[in-house]
Amino acid sequence: MAAMAQGQTYSPTISIDLSGPANGKSGYWNWDYKDFAPRFAVAWSPSASSGLWGSLFGGPGKSSIRLGAGIYYDHFGLGTVNTFDRNGSYGLTTLSTTQFGSVGLDDAPRYTSADLNDPSYGTSLSGLTPPAPTGGFPQTPPLATEPGGFTPYWGLDSNMKTPYSYDFDLSFSRELKGGFVFEAAYVGRLGRRLLQERDLAQPLNITDPASKTTYYQAASQLTKLAEQNGGAGVDLSQVQPIPYWQNIFPGANGTTTGALVDFLGCTGPPNSQNLTTLNATQAIYYMASCNLHNETTTLQELDLNCFPACPFINGQQTQGTQFYLSQFPSLYAWQTIGRSNYNAGQFSLRHKSSHGLEFDFNYVYSKSIDEGSNAERVSSYEGEIGLASLIYNAFQPGQNRAVSDYDATHQINANWVYQLPYGRGQKWGGGSNRFLLAVFGDWTISGLYRWSSGFPFSVGNGFKFPTDWEWEGNAVQIGPAKTGLYTDANGNPNAFAAAATSAGVACLLPDPPQGCTPAFRFAYAGESGNRNNFRGQGIFDVDLALRKTWNITERQALSFTYDVYNLTNSVRFGFDATQNFPAIDTAGSFGNYNQTLMSARVMEFALRYSF
């Protein structure tokens, strides 16, 4: 990052070696010797018995004020090591992969027989798959110019530190009449050095020392030109020289449109046929038009394939791989760079057991903010489930800062147990005969209630890769988009109000039907898009249980239980990250919910004999 800001590049060759004391080497990461975790707590029960303070605190022993704070350290490492064990396999496996983009439609091997066991089929694949890597250490993954090079992989950061948090709370409890207790509390938690995934090999945002312009700025200029006229782009002849491209790729001056067509297989922007020789900016604009919103693809062609010219960096002509790491297009790893803030007001009303009833009622008003919400065991590199929380721009993690994936502004929950007032020692039926007591006496009803406001979700950037080679990022919101629960034209539950209109959700997307104003656009180079800027549905759930016990003898009993989960059979919809969030390149299904937040109603009957 320091080098790219000066218009230079730093691309060391990475080797992998054995680690651990058994091999005379350091471990995965260093020990932490300064993890000081103090705790502080104090409680006070006011003794005022008269006047204003007596009314507020209820007298001696009726209320308490508690204050606590502490620093807490996490236990981490197992998930990271497991992920590295499954993916960081150089030197540990003979797996070989074909380099991305090494063959095209013209030179890819063809089937020569319908029989896959036909020797000629194997012959046709010769040279396509690189030789398997040899075992042993140290092991150096191949360069982009070598067979098997330029393969995305999982990495490991040896500079990780133990995550920790500052926790603090202030609470007030007051005993009320009738067996009630009220409690109000402020609870805070500040997470620091949290585990967060970041691409250690993200293409560099190199600055041009002459124009003081960054690659992200220059690439975005070309993208905005190519977006015009409904994505057809501006006339090629109208594209003026941009200093960044002229300075960094001077060898692209004089590129012919014929060479671009042959290499890209794309006819290019308007008026391309009327120009034969282009300057560097026009040539790279032509490429950006063919790879619209896939800036990392254009950069790969420039930097890895040196087409139409290699970059000119630090005052000299290079041989490529100046923006990309020389071995990997992507190298994700866990790092302890995350920060989170949680603040909540918590309120509870409790009723201790009396007259057969006890219950708790709780309300929480809270907000949680972070750059990512993945647990260490959830690696985005191993599946879609972690995509909502990885860092899309490794150089600016703060772009991801938003409400947490699990944030719910309002939460209510309650639980209760009520013994029906019929039976021995109860209000009614105390003198009933044994048959009536056996049938109607000693029944207990208990239940749970949960409700929350909507959970956040993002809108995906579609199959476009503006910033990172491996992952797409999120879309950028540029207009209003109302969310809730709606039905699209096919009767599917949808998150966006536009689904209920005649124009449909296509009006929200880039390049919408005539008369519509889009609510989203594709992200530009260097952008991560908007994270968790929408709210879906929350939880609503009522569980109920009915229970009766017959005491046969002092040491034997028979119990009957009837449980109902999701008593009202309510449905709440959400988005499952393993099936992707709404993406702005899927107009037909955009915004359709793909999971339910709770199960359908389930009833259970149980009979238990205890002895």
Side-chain angles (χ1 to χ4, degrees):
M1 290 176 64
M4 74 184 191
Q6 302 299 319
Q8 304 170 8
T9 186
Y10 177 69
S11 183
T13 300
I14 295 174
S15 296
I16 297 174
D17 202 354
L18 296 173
S19 67
N23 299 296
K25 306 288 179 63
S26 59
Y28 282 123
W29 45 80
N30 296 324
W31 289 93
D32 288 340
Y33 294 105
K34 300 179 181 180
D35 294 347
F36 180 56
R39 315 287 169 84
F40 168 80
V42 61
W44 174 50
S45 180
S47 58
S49 57
S50 60
L52 176 61
W53 295 114
S55 301
L56 178 61
F57 297 123
K62 295 296 184 180
S63 61
S64 66
I65 299 174
R66 299 179 298 277
L67 174 67
I71 300 177
Y72 298 84
Y73 286 85
D74 196 5
H75 294 283
F76 85 107
L78 182 59
T80 300
V81 172
N82 285 343
T83 301
F84 185 70
D85 178 46
R86 291 189 293 268
N87 297 285
S89 53
Y90 278 110
L92 304 174
T93 181
T94 54
L95 175 70
S96 62
T97 9
T98 303
Q99 178 180 327
F100 175 82
S102 58
V103 296
L105 292 176
D106 296 328
D107 58 349
R110 267 35 174 198
Y111 286 100
T112 57
S113 170
D115 182 8
L116 295 182
N117 296 314
D118 191 303
S120 62
Y121 174 71
T123 301
S124 69
L125 294 178
S126 61
L128 174 63
T129 304
T134 59
F137 294 95
Q139 184 75 210
T140 302
L143 300 175
T145 55
E146 299 173 341
F150 207 66
T151 300
Y153 242 82
W154 176 265
L156 191 69
D157 181 9
S158 61
N159 295 313
M160 289 197 292
K161 303 290 185 180
T162 305
Y164 68 96
S165 65
Y166 299 102
D167 291 47
F168 38 88
D169 64 85
L170 173 65
S171 63
F172 170 72
S173 297
R174 170 76 153 82
E175 184 177 344
L176 306 174
K177 294 181 180 180
F180 289 94
V181 176
F182 172 75
E183 182 172 304
Y186 162 74
V187 176
R189 181 182 180 91
L190 307 180
R192 298 295 181 263
R193 292 197 320 214
L194 304 181
L195 284 160
Q196 187 59 62
E197 288 174 285
R198 183 159 64 165
D199 190 355
L200 307 181
Q202 179 175 304
L204 296 177
N205 181 29
I206 298 176
T207 298
D208 171 28
S211 65
K212 307 301 182 184
T213 305
T214 67
Y215 157 71
Y216 289 158
Q217 292 170 328
S220 297
Q221 285 180 278
L222 297 184
T223 301
K224 292 174 183 178
L225 291 174
E227 284 180 330
Q228 296 182 34
N229 300 317
V234 301
D235 192 302
L236 187 60
S237 63
Q238 297 177 5
V239 177
Q240 301 301 312
I242 295 176
Y244 187 91
W245 303 114
Q246 299 297 131
N247 297 338
I248 301 296
F249 294 94
N253 287 307
T255 301
T256 64
T257 53
L260 290 167
V261 171
D262 290 342
F263 185 86
L264 300 171
C266 170
T267 57
N271 202 32
S272 298
Q273 296 77 15
N274 298 326
L275 294 176
T276 55
T277 304
L278 310 177
N279 62 38
T281 302
Q282 290 172 325
I284 298 172
Y285 165 69
Y286 188 112
M287 300 170 67
S289 299
C290 294
N291 299 315
L292 184 57
H293 302 124
N294 277 298
E295 288 87 340
T296 53
T297 301
T298 298
L299 185 63
Q300 178 187 344
E301 292 164 348
L302 289 165
D303 191 47
L304 188 66
N305 300 320
C306 279
F307 179 84
C310 290
F312 189 84
I313 300 294
N314 198 26
Q316 61 183 3
Q317 189 67 51
T318 69
Q319 298 302 311
T321 60
Q322 300 298 299
F323 289 82
Y324 281 95
L325 195 66
S326 59
Q327 295 164 289
F328 311 99
S330 182
L331 187 68
Y332 265 88
W334 286 109
Q335 293 188 301
T336 48
I337 59 171
R339 296 166 62 90
S340 69
N341 293 341
Y342 172 81
N343 294 278
Q346 302 179 357
F347 306 91
S348 299
L349 182 64
R350 298 185 175 90
H351 184 276
K352 63 183 180 181
S353 181
S354 64
H355 303 293
L357 174 67
E358 61 177 297
F359 71 82
D360 291 345
F361 177 86
N362 307 289
Y363 167 71
V364 179
Y365 175 74
S366 64
K367 187 172 186 178
S368 179
I369 301 174
D370 58 23
E371 288 95 17
S373 305
N374 282 358
E376 184 187 2
R377 68 182 183 278
V378 181
S379 167
S380 57
Y381 192 81
E382 299 177 274
E384 298 287 322
I385 192 170
L387 290 187
S389 281
L390 57 82
I391 297 296
Y392 292 109
N393 185 344
F395 308 131
Q396 293 181 286
Q399 290 182 351
N400 260 46
R401 193 158 183 83
V403 294
S404 304
D405 299 350
Y406 50 79
D407 179 70
T409 305
H410 305 281
Q411 296 183 69
I412 295 174
N413 68 75
N415 61 81
W416 64 90
V417 178
Y418 180 57
Q419 184 174 6
L420 298 181
Y422 187 94
R424 291 188 179 92
Q426 301 297 328
K427 184 175 182 179
W428 296 298
S432 300
N433 57 46
R434 296 179 63 184
F435 175 78
L436 292 176
L437 290 175
V439 175
F440 300 107
D442 302 322
W443 285 91
T444 300
I445 298 177
S446 59
L448 297 172
Y449 169 80
R450 293 184 302 154
W451 174 90
S452 75
S453 54
F455 295 110
F457 70 91
S458 309
V459 170
N461 198 49
F463 197 67
K464 307 293 184 181
F465 301 83
T467 302
D468 186 77
W469 190 92
E470 183 78 359
W471 302 118
E472 302 96 323
N474 296 319
V476 177
Q477 185 180 3
I478 57 175
K482 184 180 179 181
T483 59
L485 176 60
Y486 304 93
T487 304
D488 69 5
N490 298 316
N492 299 309
N494 194 285
F496 292 94
T501 67
S502 57
V505 295
C507 274
L508 299 176
L509 306 182
D511 194 21
Q514 189 173 3
C516 296
T517 301
F520 304 99
R521 66 164 174 82
F522 291 103
Y524 298 141
E527 292 183 337
S528 302
N530 298 127
R531 172 175 174 249
N532 288 344
N533 53 323
F534 292 105
R535 294 277 178 173
Q537 290 199 292
I539 291 175
F540 174 81
D541 183 36
V542 180
D543 301 332
L544 203 64
L546 185 64
R547 180 183 178 89
K548 176 170 173 56
T549 300
W550 294 273
N551 294 312
I552 303 172
T553 67
E554 288 187 4
R555 305 182 66 177
Q556 299 183 68
L558 185 67
S559 299
F560 168 76
T561 305
Y562 169 50
D563 295 298
V564 185
Y565 302 97
N566 191 4
L567 175 68
T568 59
N569 203 28
S570 299
V571 180
R572 292 294 185 272
F573 296 100
F575 291 102
D576 182 357
T578 62
Q579 300 179 36
N580 294 326
F581 290 113
I584 57 174
D585 61 351
T586 54
S589 59
F590 177 76
N592 284 351
Y593 287 112
N594 56 30
Q595 75 164 354
T596 55
L597 298 178
M598 61 192 76
S599 301
R601 180 169 51 213
V602 175
M603 299 182 185
E604 292 182 354
F605 300 88
L607 196 63
R608 174 173 176 170
Y609 173 62
S610 304
F611 60 93

